[in-house]
């Protein structure tokens, strides 16, 4: 029998990103905008990406949702800013493997994102954590 | 009523979740199943399974008898005047869609009106949006009071001689409002409209007499009233059903099939194309027997007491917002200040308490409430005051937990 300890999910750093989101707002200048929502629960995110010469120059988000979806968006924008697009996509892959409970590849510095590892123990909440990453992938592929 | 004894009939409730005894407060989404229902389905597959209405062999007769026997149980349960008026469907959604696609598209014309409320479940909004789009009719909403209920005066002002269909929930799945169906049916009929009642949250919890309500259609789901998933009922007045065309064509529903045209079986089978949900119907029959043994009035009284108790207790929590009217069915929808309902539901689950969080298939209502999502605890005959105490206790712990991590 699995025992879901709340502390493994709601780590301090997650709650910090939820309460004090980084990169919340709009990008100044040219950017692409992706709207995505989770129709089963009503969470929604608007992600803006400024991509120049294969680099994510800026990333901002706005939206409404639970602590997991919003903190994940905050952490993601922080992580992909200044990264090459292919590295951002690589991180997204690592993140989705992390959500499947797999060991993470440590080649890229995931920083705060590691704190979301506990979400894999809460299957119903994985979609909350991956919402922002799905939006990023969609935006990059449209670009 | 001895809820604790009744609880013994539901084996699933006797388990631990995350190290705590399960407190199941999500019966509005789906109810749990008692032993007699589980055994009826099991026994049907072990002893009597065959296709219905076709076989000459003994198993075919047994399966047909059980399937049609369940229809008679449903007829008595809702006091329909004939089994011709009881159509088995996949659930409430299919039942409403059948009426919208068949009756709606044939009878609603450009310039006509369809009247609903903003508190309806998506399954009682979207089928009517589609009818309005195809026919050029207008969708109108009975205005809501501050607590989300409606008044008969507003119903009278919204329903006009141009109204062809009034579609409304018996009980709101979010606010718990119990709508005055009998009175609204009278207003609809005075204006020459038909009324469809979404009974998904009504039939499981209170005595329903379709003749007394004088509704033209009443739709409900088996799985919310102790039966398996995948079985539901569309009740319709015989005269209306006779005038309606089927929407699914194929086996089971035909009389004669020629090369270029065909004729339909009589009611209710003309609406039951394909091999029906036989085991589901058998399970529904067993569920009705189970509910009747306890008594629908007894169940309703028990739930009324629980509703009063939960409202009294939950209000003692600082920073809680409760939505909906005071007088309600036994469910409570709420939000805790500063904690998203998904986080509330995850926290409660860690204490073994199952509640629902999200938009509850009511996005237009969420918009009206001006929230993105809410949490909901809903009760059935197997819930007790101790379950309410556990909920309140769990919410206090949730508040403390999120208060500390922030």
């Amino acid at each position: 029998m699995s025992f879901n300890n709340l502390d493994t999910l709601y780590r301090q750093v997650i709650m910090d990103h939820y309460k004090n989101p980084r990169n919340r707002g709009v990008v100044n200048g040219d950017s692409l905008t992706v709207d995505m929502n989770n129709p089963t629960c009503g969470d929604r995110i608007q992600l803006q990406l400024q991509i120049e010469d294969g680099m994510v120059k800026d990333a901002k988000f706005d939206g409404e949702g639970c602590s997991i979806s919003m903190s994940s968006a905050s952490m993601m924008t922080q992580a992909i800013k200044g990264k090459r697009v292919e590295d951002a996509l690589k991180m997204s892959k690592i993140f989705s493997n992390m959500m499947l409970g797999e060991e993470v590849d440590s080649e890229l510095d995931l920083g705060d994102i590691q704190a979301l590892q506990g979400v894999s123990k809460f299957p119903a909440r994985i979609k909350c954590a991956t919402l922002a990453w799905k939006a990023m992938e969609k935006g990059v592929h449209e670009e | 009523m001895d809820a604790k004894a009744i609880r013994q009939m539901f084996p699933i409730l006797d388990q631990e979740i995350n190290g705590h005894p399960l407190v199941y407060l999500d019966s509005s989404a789906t109810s749990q199943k008692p032993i007699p229902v589980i055994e009826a389905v099991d026994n049907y597959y072990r002893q009597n399974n065959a296709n219905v209405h076709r076989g000459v062999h003994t198993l075919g007769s047994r399966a047909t008898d059980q399937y049609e026997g369940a229809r008679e149980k449903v007829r008595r349960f809702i006091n329909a005047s004939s089994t011709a008026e009881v159509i088995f469907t996949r659930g409430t959604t299919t039942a409403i869609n059948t009426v919208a696609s068949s009756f709606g598209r044939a009878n609603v014309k450009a310039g006509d009106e369809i009247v609903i409320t903003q508190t309806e479940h998506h399954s009682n909004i979207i089928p009517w949006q589609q009818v309005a789009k195809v026919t050029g009719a207008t969708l109108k909403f009975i205005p809501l009071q501050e607590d989300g209920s409606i008044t008969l005066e507003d119903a009278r002002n919204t329903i006009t001689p141009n109204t062809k269909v009034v579609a409304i929930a018996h009980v709101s799945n979010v606010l718990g409002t119990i709508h005055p169906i009998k009175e609204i049916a009278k207003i609809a009929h005075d204006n020459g409209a038909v009324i469809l009642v979404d009974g998904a949250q009504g039939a499981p919890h209170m005595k329903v007499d379709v003749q007394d309500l004088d509704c033209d259609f009443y739709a409900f789901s088996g799985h919310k009233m102790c039966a398996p998933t995948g079985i539901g009922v569309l009740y319709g007045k015989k005269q209306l059903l006779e005038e309606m065309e089927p929407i699914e064509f194929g086996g089971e529903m035909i009389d004669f099939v020629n090369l270029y045209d065909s004729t339909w079986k009589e009611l209710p089978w003309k609406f039951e194309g394909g091999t029906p949900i036989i085991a589901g119907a058998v399970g529904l029959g067993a569920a009705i027997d189970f509910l009747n043994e306890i008594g629908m009035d007894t169940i309703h009284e028990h739930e009324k007491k629980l509703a009063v108790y939960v409202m009294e207790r939950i209000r003692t929590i600082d920073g809680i917002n409760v939505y909906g009217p005071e007088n309600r069915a036994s469910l409570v929808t709420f939000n805790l200040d500063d904690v998203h309902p998904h986080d509330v539901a995850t926290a409660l689950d860690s204490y073994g308490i199952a509640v629902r969080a999200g938009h509850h298939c009511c996005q237009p209502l969420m918009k009206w409430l001006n929230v993105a999502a809410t949490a909901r605890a809903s009760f059935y005959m197997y819930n007790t005051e101790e379950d309410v105490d556990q909920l309140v206790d769990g919410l206090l712990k949730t508040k403390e937990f999120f208060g500390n991590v922030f």
Side-chain angles (χ1 to χ4, degrees), chain A residues 1-12 15-16 18-19 37-43 64-69 122 124-125 128, chain B residues 15-20 338-340 342-351 357-360 363 371-373 398 401-402 404-406:
Chain A
M1 185 165 297
S2 72
F3 185 85
N4 286 342
N5 188 329
L6 281 186
D7 295 315
T8 63
L9 178 64
Y10 297 107
R11 306 274 300 275
Q12 200 72 43
M15 301 321 283
D16 179 50
Y18 181 47
K19 278 281 149 182
N37 69 330
N38 182 346
T40 57
C41 66
D43 282 5
E64 201 168 10
C66 62
S67 60
I68 303 301
S69 67
F122 293 77
R125 305 302 298 276
C128 310
Chain B
Q15 65 174 304
E16 291 202 341
I17 298 286
N18 297 318
H20 300 268
D338 300 324
V339 190
H340 193 280
H342 298 159
D343 296 322
V344 171
T346 293
L348 290 176
D349 184 58
S350 77
Y351 310 128
H359 53 57
H360 316 286
Q363 289 181 13
V371 293
T398 301
F401 177 81
F402 285 101
N404 288 341
V405 290
F406 282 153

Side-chain angles (χ1 to χ4, degrees), chain B residues 273-290:
Chain B
T275 296
I277 313 133
I278 309 165
V282 171
L284 178 58
I288 287 174
D289 289 343
F290 177 81

